[in-house]
Amino acid sequence: MKNFFCRTAILAATLAGSSLAQSGGELRFCLRADPKTFDPLRVEDDNSETVRYITGGVLLRVNRKTQELSPELARSWKVDQQGRRITFHLRTGLSFSDGTPFTADDVAYTVTRLMDPKLHSATADPFRSSDAPPQIAVTARDTIAITFATPISGLERLFDQVAILSRHSPKKIAAVMGPFFVSEYKPGVEIVLSRNPYYWKLDANGQRMPYLDRIRLQIQQNRDMELVRFRRGELDLINSLDPEVFEQLARQSPESVSDAGASLESEMLWFNQVPTSAIPAHKREWFASQDFRRAVSEAINRADLVKLVYKGHAAPAAGLISPANKFWVNRSLAPHPFDARSATARLVKAGFTSHSDGLYDRAGHRVEFSVVTNAGNKTRERIAVMLQQDLEHIGIKLNVVTLDFPSLIERMTQTFQYEACLLGLTNLDLDPSAQMNVWLSSAADHQWNPNQKTPATPWEAEIDRLMRAQAAELRLAERKRLFDQVQQIVWEQEPFIYLINKNSLMAFSPQLRNQAPAAIQPQAYWNIDQMKKSTLVAGR
Amino acid sequence: MLEAPLPGGRGSVEPVRVSAASILLAEPRPQGSGMTKLAEIILVVLLTASLAIGLVPGASYSHQNRDITAAAPSLKFPLGTDDLGRDRLTRLLYATRISMLLAATAAAATIALAFLIGGLAGYYGGLCDRLIASILDLMLSLPWLFLLLAVRALLPLNASPVTSLIATYAMMAAVGWAAPARIVRAGVRNFRHSEFVLQARAQGCPETRVLLRHILPNLRPVLVAQFWTAIPVFILAEANLGFLGLSASDPFPTWGTLLKELQSPLLLRPEAFAPAVAIAVSLLCFKLITPWGGSQV
């Protein structure tokens, strides 16, 4: 009898445990600040993007793991008329989070609103191939065709960012098609997202997703506090970790951290080549010299940067596209090797002479310049100090200047009062057309010499030509070939000296299940509708 | 050399010879306290060690031993190495030299400014006093940290680490004179109608001479106390700026820049607290050696 009770108790406990593991629960993590908007079509900041990603239902989604496009609210799609028209066949019988039925009318409403110039939507920018609005034809309750005035390369992937709104719901933007909806917002404190009871996805067992009941997004600017709270078990995940924090967490509980490999983030150095800037002419001459830039690049020990600053959680960078971007990266390019001798030889070839007290140019100017970076960023400050020692070996004196971020941006974009700059770049979009604002010589974000009326150098003219050509090309292989050439030119000329590609580092509570860390944003919670929280694991 | 009267005595206008340096460095200071002696010894040892480090062959505050990063304390590196492999002890001693000497220099400059401006206000009174008093109120009410941030951002980018550091202390001196100036002003106002000043005036002594020869020596206790009080204030101010990344630029070490390592308290090793301990100890020592413990100023 006693044995029977024991077995029953064990069975009951097992069942209870199993049930708990499957139950919803609450997921908690931090946002750095309040979202600037809950309107999914007006998102411009990371915090709003997080809310949009979790609440917004999209027609097509880029799978963050495979980087392939997968159908969501649309069950199929077709691009034709040389990339001008896209036709979606929608899933039927779906509803918004308030129960309002979802139809092609809602897609038409969303696209019309998105393309309204008065909305000033950043999400709409990649769709704006001309001033003419797109033609939208709802041919059935579940079919819609959208025709743009001119071809748009990679058109279908752009819909990953477009969260569908309801035309008829009285709740307007609060009615969503994503796995969760915003149920509570306390400014400066937290946002509570509740499970969408009408979410359309079912798992393999026919159970309606998502599994979690709630997500609590807590506003926490201080990253140290975020870490403390994670260690106390008050948070379930950290989407992005510094390498040293990662290492420390890994020592304490290796199962709680994850390195998903190369991310789309890189760190780079560039020289100011703006002809009207106030820097001395002889320095502008150095900075315009390909040999000088290549020499600086070769004098930098990227392996040491990876080892000391990133604790091994990064890789030396070869160029503008990270290996995380599986399709578009030009794999024939390798990072410039660390070679101080070769660097010195290049400098001698370019007319510089090395003396006991440093390097001098032809006119007898000591080679010395300053690099600006943002104050408070410990990683960049360390990189800058390491560059100081590396460049000292080839006789270059580097002064490191840290500035508050607004001052830095003002110098970079308006006054151009800087000599070199050390900053990072994050590509949110895998498609190269998203980088037109950087690579076209006429672009404002062409940082080393922005807003050029005509390209200042033949290689910049060639990049302009290739970028425009790839944007107008619809054959993927040909686009890839053209963009590979852009990467090759950038690798040779080094207007940006790419230093490292960071890895994507994150932390998960041991209670979380089904996490699938990815290299591209949102790395930790891109499959949030599949994530579960178990209460079987005792609090840490 | 300045000539100063013996203070206090009726009609005591006999000048005594006092050097300018002795105004700040000499008496009065409470004598005989064991703690005070200990504080003086600690400060002297700290300063001597910080000056001597420059004589040690191979001691570099900037050299990165990239194969020995974040090393624990050892015989070769008694305080270990930092994340870039730099010797913590060498950096701490260089930082001690820089922070203490520059803080003392800035304090002296501040006291000079305070005497000049406070002295003018207190001595001449009237419109001059009201005008300077208003400026003092304004100076004391403004958030100077923001000015320091702005001026620091306006420095030429190619300013060397030494220049940026001197500029930082110069700015601190330039904005730090208001509080001691107010005290000097009050002191000078007290002396303005004293008998020895009236007598000096009656004898046709020029105003500047009265101020410098007769009033300044009598203000010496106030100025000395203000000087010793200002040094730790400037040390703390630099530590704040350095913690925010707005003091000396890399690789130059100051106590403030070394404190930046404490920004991630969860990642710290015990030896990373050495700069904080050095600051705390030196502040305590300055407090002890300040006349009247700095409390009656």
Side-chain angles (χ1 to χ4, degrees):
Chain A
M1 191 63 164
K2 185 180 173 187
N3 197 17
F4 169 78
F5 275 121
C6 280
R7 273 192 229 151
T8 309
I10 290 166
L11 179 63
T14 309
L15 288 173
S18 166
S19 135
L20 281 170
Q22 296 295 319
S23 72
E26 181 177 279
L27 180 79
R28 290 154 298 174
F29 64 100
C30 286
L31 295 182
R32 298 274 163 272
D34 289 280
K36 288 184 179 163
T37 179
F38 286 112
D39 184 342
L41 303 185
R42 303 179 75 171
V43 166
E44 289 185 6
D45 60 298
D46 288 347
N47 304 303
S48 306
E49 171 58 25
T50 296
V51 175
R52 173 171 75 176
Y53 188 88
I54 297 174
T55 60
V58 293
L59 298 172
L60 307 171
R61 179 68 90 196
V62 175
N63 182 309
R64 266 48 178 179
K65 201 80 174 167
T66 63
Q67 299 181 14
E68 299 291 332
L69 206 55
S70 57
E72 290 269 308
L73 300 177
R75 60 188 151 81
S76 64
W77 72 96
K78 184 181 173 193
V79 179
D80 53 13
Q81 290 192 5
Q82 289 78 47
R84 289 175 55 230
R85 186 171 71 185
I86 185 164
T87 306
F88 292 105
H89 297 284
L90 309 178
R91 294 178 198 273
T92 54
L94 311 186
S95 298
F96 285 87
S97 55
D98 65 341
T100 310
F102 164 70
T103 66
D105 248 5
D106 299 309
V107 178
Y109 168 73
T110 303
V111 174
T112 306
R113 185 164 178 264
L114 174 75
M115 300 304 292
D116 182 352
K118 289 181 197 156
L119 191 70
H120 300 295
S121 169
T123 310
D125 288 343
F127 291 97
R128 289 190 216 283
S129 55
S130 78
D131 291 337
Q135 293 174 0
I136 300 167
V138 176
T139 52
R141 194 177 158 79
D142 65 344
T143 307
I144 181 169
I146 306 164
T147 309
F148 294 87
T150 55
I152 299 173
S153 58
L155 173 61
E156 62 272 40
R157 296 179 84 90
L158 299 179
F159 282 89
D160 175 79
Q161 304 285 314
V162 183
I164 302 302
L165 300 175
S166 169
R167 181 193 289 269
H168 302 292
S169 167
K171 292 195 170 181
K172 297 296 176 192
I173 62 169
V176 296
M177 292 295 291
F180 297 89
F181 65 93
V182 178
S183 57
E184 195 181 343
Y185 174 42
K186 293 179 190 164
V189 181
E190 64 178 11
I191 302 162
V192 179
L193 309 176
S194 295
R195 183 175 186 274
N196 175 1
Y198 295 97
Y199 188 55
W200 59 277
K201 275 190 194 170
L202 304 177
D203 67 10
N205 299 321
Q207 185 181 346
R208 190 169 291 277
M209 295 157 74
Y211 301 118
L212 296 163
D213 289 329
R214 261 179 320 280
I215 298 172
R216 202 170 288 272
L217 302 174
Q218 297 177 332
I219 316 293
Q220 177 63 262
Q221 195 176 7
N222 185 322
R223 301 215 66 186
D224 289 327
M225 279 307 299
E226 183 183 25
L227 184 61
V228 169
R229 296 181 65 191
F230 178 80
R231 286 158 53 130
R232 281 189 203 144
E234 294 171 12
L235 298 176
D236 297 304
L237 67 84
I238 301 179
N239 193 43
S240 168
L241 284 176
D242 291 334
E244 49 187 18
V245 174
F246 179 92
E247 281 296 301
Q248 203 208 21
L249 276 177
R251 278 195 293 275
Q252 291 169 350
S253 68
E255 72 285 354
S256 69
V257 290
S258 174
D259 180 344
S263 70
L264 297 179
E265 292 180 55
S266 55
E267 293 289 332
M268 61 205 193
L269 171 78
W270 74 88
F271 295 107
N272 181 357
Q273 298 183 49
V274 177
T276 54
S277 67
I279 59 177
H282 65 274
K283 289 193 178 181
R284 249 200 322 272
E285 196 180 324
W286 306 340
F287 302 157
S289 156
Q290 182 197 4
D291 280 325
F292 181 82
R293 295 193 300 267
R294 282 291 291 273
V296 169
S297 178
E298 286 179 349
I300 295 171
N301 191 333
R302 291 173 172 81
D304 273 359
L305 293 180
V306 168
K307 187 178 76 173
L308 299 188
V309 180
Y310 291 92
K311 317 293 179 199
H313 300 291
L320 64 152
I321 296 294
S322 157
N325 193 340
K326 294 174 186 170
F327 180 75
W328 292 104
V329 66
N330 183 342
R331 296 195 185 276
S332 68
L333 303 177
H336 292 289
F338 167 58
D339 190 343
R341 263 192 209 162
S342 167
T344 305
R346 278 182 193 280
L347 290 167
V348 170
K349 185 183 132 200
F352 293 87
T353 48
S354 193
H355 295 277
S356 58
D357 63 335
L359 190 72
Y360 287 80
D361 69 5
R362 265 197 205 97
H365 299 109
R366 169 84 205 269
V367 180
E368 173 182 357
F369 62 86
S370 61
V371 61
V372 292
T373 192
N374 53 319
N377 186 314
K378 283 176 274 181
T379 305
R380 289 200 187 113
E381 287 172 8
R382 276 187 201 149
I383 292 176
V385 176
M386 291 184 71
L387 297 188
Q388 252 179 347
Q389 181 158 309
D390 285 344
L391 296 186
E392 198 182 326
H393 288 149
I394 57 168
I396 295 178
K397 187 177 177 201
L398 179 67
N399 295 313
V400 178
V401 181
T402 55
L403 297 171
D404 60 298
F405 209 66
S407 302
L408 181 65
I409 296 297
E410 189 188 354
R411 282 178 190 265
M412 272 170 49
T413 58
Q414 290 173 36
T415 64
F416 304 113
Q417 288 178 353
Y418 72 98
E419 291 176 351
C421 183
L422 172 66
L423 268 187
L425 184 74
T426 304
N427 289 320
L428 294 175
D429 199 329
L430 299 173
D431 195 282
S433 292
Q435 297 192 27
M436 295 287 267
N437 62 333
V438 173
W439 295 107
L440 291 184
S441 59
S442 56
D445 294 333
H446 191 72
Q447 293 301 348
W448 69 90
N449 187 7
N451 304 318
Q452 298 174 37
K453 286 184 181 143
T454 54
T457 59
W459 57 268
E460 283 174 284
E462 181 63 3
I463 289 179
D464 282 2
R465 186 189 72 75
L466 290 166
M467 285 302 286
R468 290 202 176 97
Q470 70 79 26
E473 177 60 58
L474 297 174
R475 292 167 298 167
L476 205 54
E478 180 60 10
R479 283 189 74 200
K480 174 77 166 71
R481 191 186 67 78
L482 293 167
F483 193 59
D484 277 354
Q485 288 181 45
V486 172
Q487 293 178 66
Q488 177 76 35
I489 294 172
V490 172
W491 183 86
E492 286 165 2
Q493 296 293 336
E494 296 206 85
F496 289 140
I497 297 175
Y498 288 93
L499 302 175
I500 54 92
N501 293 124
K502 293 189 215 175
N503 283 9
S504 189
L505 307 176
M506 59 205 91
F508 297 99
S509 151
Q511 293 173 282
L512 272 186
R513 297 285 178 270
N514 293 351
Q515 61 267 41
I520 53 179
Q521 292 186 348
Q523 302 93 326
Y525 56 86
W526 67 274
N527 64 333
I528 203 158
D529 56 355
Q530 298 166 29
M531 291 168 89
K532 294 179 180 180
K533 194 170 173 189
S534 160
T535 52
L536 287 173
V537 179
R540 287 165 299 134
Chain B
M1 297 292 276
L2 300 169
E3 292 177 350
L6 293 170
R10 180 180 290 270
S12 55
V13 289
E14 286 298 315
V16 291
R17 295 199 172 267
V18 181
S19 75
S22 71
I23 296 287
L24 295 178
L25 298 175
E27 294 286 341
R29 208 176 296 160
Q31 294 294 304
S33 156
M35 290 301 284
T36 308
K37 292 278 182 208
L38 181 64
E40 286 175 348
I41 291 168
I42 290 173
L43 284 178
V44 168
V45 168
L46 267 179
L47 202 56
T48 309
S50 72
L51 293 170
I53 189 67
L55 304 174
V56 178
S60 164
Y61 59 79
S62 62
H63 181 71
Q64 298 162 15
N65 303 287
R66 292 186 181 177
D67 294 326
I68 323 171
T69 59
S74 62
L75 275 179
K76 189 175 179 190
F77 302 110
L79 284 178
T81 60
D82 67 9
D83 285 345
L84 298 179
R86 295 175 296 189
D87 181 4
R88 281 185 197 278
L89 180 63
T90 304
R91 286 176 66 74
L92 179 64
L93 289 175
Y94 270 104
T96 303
R97 179 201 293 190
I98 293 161
S99 293
M100 285 178 72
L101 291 183
L102 283 181
T105 309
T110 283
I111 299 306
L113 272 174
F115 173 72
L116 186 70
I117 297 168
L120 285 176
Y123 188 73
Y124 288 107
L127 182 64
C128 174
D129 183 36
R130 285 201 298 277
L131 185 66
I132 290 176
S134 305
I135 294 171
L136 289 179
D137 290 341
L138 183 69
M139 293 288 288
L140 289 170
S141 62
L142 288 177
W144 289 112
L145 181 64
F146 295 102
L147 177 81
L148 290 173
L149 296 180
V151 174
R152 187 70 182 72
L154 289 174
L155 274 180
L157 295 183
N158 260 329
S160 68
V162 178
T163 310
S164 65
L165 189 65
I166 290 173
T168 303
Y169 275 98
M171 282 188 295
M172 289 194 293
V175 300
W177 54 267
R182 178 175 272 186
I183 294 163
V184 169
R185 170 175 163 261
V188 173
R189 283 174 72 170
N190 282 341
F191 286 124
R192 189 173 58 175
H193 300 299
S194 65
E195 291 178 359
F196 70 90
V197 170
L198 290 176
Q199 194 169 354
R201 278 178 169 169
Q203 288 177 352
C205 198
E207 304 285 16
T208 317
R209 190 179 171 86
V210 171
L211 200 57
L212 292 177
R213 282 189 57 198
H214 298 272
I215 294 181
L216 173 63
N218 285 295
L219 278 175
R220 192 175 63 182
V222 172
L223 295 177
V224 168
Q226 288 299 306
F227 170 73
W228 289 106
T229 309
I231 293 176
V233 168
F234 285 134
I235 287 175
L236 272 181
E238 189 281 327
N240 282 325
L241 289 175
F243 193 71
L244 294 171
L246 295 162
S247 179
S249 49
D250 270 315
F252 223 52
T254 66
W255 279 345
T257 54
L258 294 184
L259 280 181
K260 275 161 72 179
E261 208 176 340
L262 301 180
Q263 282 177 344
S264 300
L266 299 171
L267 305 169
L268 290 179
R269 307 160 64 97
E271 55 270 23
F273 285 92
V277 172
I279 292 175
V281 168
S282 66
L283 292 186
L284 186 63
C285 291
F286 279 115
K287 170 82 175 168
L288 287 169
I289 66 169
T290 300
W292 313 296
S295 59
Q296 295 179 24
V297 181

